[in-house]
Amino acid sequence: MDVVEKRPGQRWKVGVAQKKVNAQDLEVGMFVSDLDRPWHLTPFPIQGFYIRSQDDIRALISHCRWVMVDVAEGRDSLEYDHAGAPSFARRTSRKVREQDILKLPPVQIRNPVRHQVSRSLNRELRSSRNLLRSAEDAIEKVAGSLRNDMVPDLRPVSKVARQMTASVLRNPDALLWLARVREQDEHTYRHSLKTAVWALVFGRHLGLDESLLTTLATGCLLAHIGKSELPRFLLFNEHQLDADQYQQYRTYVELGAHRLEEAGVSRGVIAVVRGHRERHNGSGFPAGVRGDRIPLLAKIAGLVDYYESLIAPREGYQPLSPAQAVSQLFELRNVEFQEDLVEQFIQSIGIYPIGTLVQLTNGQRGVVVSHSPKRRLMPKVMVMTDSAQQPLKAARMVNLATCNEGRSMDQSLRVEGCLPNGTDGLDPARYDITGAESRWNLRRLVGA
């Protein structure tokens, strides 16, 4: 492999120049590519990041004596630029200035709930396999009612939101796995449905109780419902809107919130819908509020909505890999999204989220099936090919965190990089998630 992924939309050739720099000599603008200690032993949630402020330098000094910085790479070489980004992922600025950063105290969840896994992954997969289809059907019925100027029946949405919440509480990996694997299917699942799954996994990690999680999921499922009242050409050409069209596109938030108020939806759900496009620094819409004026559930919804928009395939736009999207979120901490929420989200989903196709340093390829918050770069991978990228008859499970115990960094087996969905020979639905083909094959579980 002659390239490795290092940051959003950016590919570097292996062998890019690196320089060893004393931590005391670091400067704002440098790109830190390696540390003098394993990344998982530090608080930095991603491997490789730009120094944006003196606070970043102080954090590095407190944990490292020296770091490696990349000296051949510049910000202006981003392939993922503002002009080419779709409207749903546009940023107000490509460069972050220190004075643009808004800092708030970390979010404190009152009486956080420590949710325990109460059901095995395979069992939860079997019981939840039809849940995503029900969620999509419920959203489509609401959208159809709005298009026909009828008051929508929101009881099916509320019901499926409760069921999704219950599933994620029992096992946070199952519904996320199903949503990610179905991306390979012919049927395109709605953006709002995937966003709701990310939000539930994140909210569970934060310790939100079941009632708040259900409100969050319902809000995410309905967040884009106002788009049903927009001209269809705006939705089909989201990545090519001019300034006037983009202003019209932005009205979907208030359109949706207003119609949901008419239907008697709870204030909590409407707050999620109305606030999911607001941004930490006030650059969002419709109200342009900032910081602690954005409700917590809306902050969560906005963050995961943005993340899903980066990784979701869209016509005319090359999606980012999950690792690239995580890096972009990290660059936006305390700018468009609150810092501690960004870091907690990365902790909850991992650098390589469940369902991410990866290549290992030994050439084998597979899909991430789980991760450990304490070992962010060492997920559990279901290996589907040999070192020559030939499909295995039966997949096998490799836990990178445990298989590397006692090995030096040079000898360790690691993720070399992410692979795009649809890579030849990599179809997770062919295999059972336990690592062998069986009657509980994932193709059956997801209805492929």
Side-chain angles (χ1 to χ4, degrees):
M1 192 177 251
D2 61 351
V3 297
V4 292
E5 305 287 353
K6 293 291 266 189
R7 54 184 291 244
Q10 179 72 51
R11 284 175 176 256
W12 297 332
K13 291 182 180 179
V14 171
V16 64
Q18 291 183 317
K19 180 180 179 180
K20 184 177 179 180
V21 177
N22 189 299
Q24 299 286 343
D25 297 328
L26 292 170
E27 298 177 3
V28 173
M30 289 182 171
F31 186 88
V32 178
S33 57
D34 210 349
L35 310 177
D36 63 0
R37 67 197 58 232
W39 285 87
H40 70 271
L41 297 179
T42 73
F44 310 115
I46 67 171
Q47 183 169 359
F49 62 91
Y50 273 101
I51 298 175
R52 303 183 314 163
S53 66
Q54 292 299 321
D55 284 345
D56 289 346
I57 294 176
R58 284 190 285 270
L60 285 162
I61 290 173
S62 68
H63 289 88
C64 306
R65 290 189 296 176
W66 56 264
V67 303
M68 300 298 291
V69 299
D70 287 348
V71 297
E73 195 277 336
R75 276 183 175 271
D76 291 338
S77 60
L78 266 176
E79 296 169 10
Y80 182 85
D81 57 33
H82 178 81
S87 60
F88 50 82
R90 283 180 184 166
R91 293 168 55 178
T92 56
S93 172
R94 286 180 57 195
K95 292 190 177 183
V96 176
R97 299 171 300 175
E98 189 165 0
Q99 58 265 36
D100 292 332
I101 298 173
L102 172 63
K103 293 193 174 183
L104 290 178
V107 168
Q108 297 292 327
I109 306 296
R110 291 183 181 178
N111 304 316
V113 181
R114 302 303 175 199
H115 302 287
Q116 302 296 319
V117 174
S118 61
R119 182 175 287 182
S120 70
L121 179 56
N122 276 359
R123 186 180 173 196
E124 189 59 36
L125 283 170
R126 293 196 293 272
S127 66
S128 301
R129 59 181 172 176
N130 296 321
L131 188 50
L132 297 182
R133 177 78 67 179
S134 298
E136 185 191 43
D137 290 344
I139 297 170
E140 288 180 343
K141 288 177 181 177
V142 172
S145 296
L146 293 180
R147 283 192 294 268
N148 294 319
D149 202 27
M150 299 169 56
V151 177
D153 180 5
L154 295 169
R155 289 174 296 181
V157 175
S158 298
K159 178 181 178 181
V160 79
R162 290 193 298 271
Q163 293 172 330
M164 291 172 67
T165 300
S167 174
V168 170
L169 288 180
R170 291 189 296 264
N171 190 308
D173 294 343
L175 206 59
L176 181 56
W177 174 265
L178 289 172
R180 297 278 283 158
V181 171
R182 286 300 293 245
E183 288 180 354
Q184 309 292 339
D185 234 359
E186 293 180 3
H187 194 79
T188 302
Y189 268 66
R190 290 178 179 267
H191 170 90
S192 53
L193 176 57
K194 298 172 189 174
T195 297
V197 177
W198 290 120
L200 284 171
V201 172
F202 183 22
R204 183 188 191 277
H205 173 82
L206 291 175
L208 300 182
D209 63 31
E210 187 169 358
S211 175
L212 287 175
L213 287 172
T214 301
T215 297
L216 175 61
T218 306
C220 289
L221 289 172
L222 297 172
H224 293 261
I225 208 68
K227 291 180 178 178
S228 63
E229 301 193 49
L230 294 179
R232 295 181 69 83
F233 79 88
L234 290 179
L235 306 183
F236 290 138
N237 298 284
E238 288 186 27
H239 59 290
Q240 295 177 331
L241 301 181
D242 60 29
D244 291 338
Q245 291 170 337
Y246 186 56
Q247 287 301 316
Q248 184 180 7
Y249 169 84
R250 287 165 36 135
T251 63
Y252 85 83
V253 175
E254 278 298 345
L255 286 171
H258 179 66
R259 293 301 295 270
L260 293 175
E261 285 176 331
E262 291 180 335
V265 175
S266 72
R267 293 173 60 186
V269 170
I270 291 174
V272 174
V273 174
R274 185 165 272 134
H276 79 281
R277 292 303 297 260
E278 301 291 356
R279 292 296 180 256
H280 186 67
N281 62 356
S283 65
F285 60 86
V289 296
R290 69 199 304 257
D292 55 10
R293 293 191 60 194
I294 306 173
L296 174 60
L297 297 188
K299 290 183 180 184
I300 294 172
L303 192 157
V304 299
D305 180 86
Y306 182 83
Y307 174 80
E308 173 60 29
S309 74
L310 294 179
I311 66 172
R314 292 265 181 156
E315 185 176 353
Y317 152 67
Q318 180 64 37
L320 304 185
S321 72
Q324 289 174 314
V326 161
S327 294
Q328 183 152 313
L329 278 178
F330 190 68
E331 285 193 42
L332 293 177
R333 65 197 190 283
N334 275 346
V335 180
E336 294 195 23
F337 305 103
Q338 189 166 329
E339 180 174 34
D340 60 298
L341 290 180
V342 170
E343 295 181 352
Q344 288 290 327
F345 178 63
I346 295 172
Q347 291 279 359
S348 70
I349 67 168
I351 303 299
Y352 309 109
I354 291 170
T356 301
L357 299 178
V358 295
Q359 178 161 317
L360 305 181
T361 50
N362 64 0
Q364 293 181 325
R365 293 177 171 182
V367 59
V368 174
V369 297
S370 70
H371 71 280
S372 166
K374 295 181 179 179
R375 303 298 301 273
R376 296 178 292 275
L377 300 174
M378 297 290 180
K380 182 182 290 186
V381 177
M382 185 170 71
V383 175
M384 295 182 286
T385 78
D386 59 22
S387 296
Q389 284 94 56
Q390 296 303 307
L392 298 175
K393 202 168 186 181
R396 64 186 185 88
M397 209 66 66
V398 176
N399 188 329
L400 297 180
T402 57
C403 80
N404 286 313
E405 291 178 356
R407 294 185 181 182
S408 66
M409 185 62 70
D410 292 339
Q411 297 175 326
S412 63
L413 181 63
R414 306 182 306 280
V415 173
E416 185 175 56
C418 297
L419 299 168
N421 285 341
T423 298
D424 288 346
L426 295 183
D427 181 8
R430 284 187 54 217
Y431 300 95
D432 173 60
I433 200 170
T434 60
E437 295 181 311
S438 74
R439 66 191 185 96
W440 294 119
N441 177 290
L442 281 182
R443 187 177 298 280
R444 297 188 182 190
L445 290 173
V446 300

